[in-house]
Amino acid sequence: MCRHLAYLGPPRSLASLLYEPSQSLEQQSWRPTHQREGAMNADGWGVGWWDPAVRTEPARYRTAVPMWTDTSFRSVAEVVHATAILAAVRSATPPSPIVDTGNAPFSSGPWLFSLNGFVTGFRGEIGEELRRSVSHRRAIGIEGTSDSEVLFALVLDALDAGATAAEALASVTTAVLATTDGKLNLLICDGHRITATACGNSLFTLLGDGLAAGGVLVASEPLDDHRGWTAVPPGSFVEAAIGAVRVEPLASAEGAA
């Protein structure tokens, strides 16, 4: 399994989320508290962030080494500030290779994407069927072999067709679960809005207080013991922007698509 988070709000250092909280993303890489499968997330990690003063597309860093061993990046994280951040640690689903192309965040244009979960049977016919569903335009952008990239490509196809982010995540989740099972906590952000699903794994929000003062956080698990963290009900999607969090059943987004 994996752990991921996304933040929108006033400029803050990457380290303030990745390393400094009592249950930081680094801590979750080796001792998660809400993870339902697997005890560690040792198969790499990544982070992306937006600096709209420079460009609309996010910067991104990924590596296949465990986050707690990647000591060089912490000094970078302490001086890089951003108004929007998406990061994840990975526990690869066997027999997936441990390579940086398998790690979130995955990127395309202004979008960053992460999957906390897996598609059952992806290494067989299910995976082939999903790959055949991807448009040529999006298929040529797939770099690695992970189910995450194929799901992201399908989400991008839905966005290209005019769907909102919530509609895109809901439609892809519904399509996958119509043919197989799995755990499909999807997370996507364009630097202005966070959209995520709670489908098989834990998900929490924090709005306007604590680590999210003046902004909002969406994360697989709380980064500290602040009382404002709110669990997202299973089978729901979240849309979050500065000052607002909307949580609704996934079926409502699919019905609107």
Side-chain angles (χ1 to χ4, degrees), residues 5-14 16-17 48-52 56 58 81-87 110-112 165 187-196 204-219 223 229 238-246:
L5 64 83
Y7 165 82
L8 298 173
R12 68 184 309 151
S13 72
L14 303 185
S16 67
L17 297 179
W49 63 95
W50 289 259
D51 185 346
T56 58
H81 290 69
T83 57
I85 302 165
L86 191 153
W111 298 102
L112 292 180
L187 175 66
I188 193 168
C189 183
D190 63 357
H192 303 284
R193 185 176 298 273
I194 301 165
T195 308
F204 292 80
T205 63
L206 180 63
L207 177 64
D209 202 1
L211 290 170
V216 63
L217 268 165
V218 178
L223 302 180
W229 287 100
V238 175
E239 279 194 319
I242 295 175
V245 170
R246 180 169 71 103

Side-chain angles (χ1 to χ4, degrees), residues 62-169:
R62 297 189 297 176
T63 178
V65 305
M67 187 175 182
W68 70 83
T69 70
D70 189 11
T71 57
S72 295
F73 190 80
R74 179 159 189 164
S75 65
V76 175
E78 290 172 350
V79 299
V80 172
H81 290 69
T83 57
I85 302 165
L86 191 153
V89 289
R90 185 187 187 205
S91 177
T93 304
S96 297
I98 311 304
V99 292
D100 59 1
T101 55
N103 292 344
F106 302 95
S107 67
S108 179
W111 298 102
L112 292 180
F113 174 85
S114 175
L115 166 67
N116 170 202
F118 58 86
V119 176
T120 300
F122 182 76
R123 294 297 163 187
E125 294 182 3
I126 296 297
E128 289 302 313
E129 181 178 342
L130 290 174
R131 289 187 189 92
R132 287 195 295 269
S133 300
V134 176
S135 69
H136 175 72
R137 175 190 176 192
R138 293 304 181 180
I140 60 177
I142 295 176
E143 298 177 305
T145 62
S146 70
D147 50 0
S148 301
E149 280 197 277
V150 174
L151 295 182
F152 184 33
L154 291 170
V155 168
L156 290 171
D157 275 337
L159 292 169
D160 292 341
T164 66
E167 292 166 353
L169 297 193

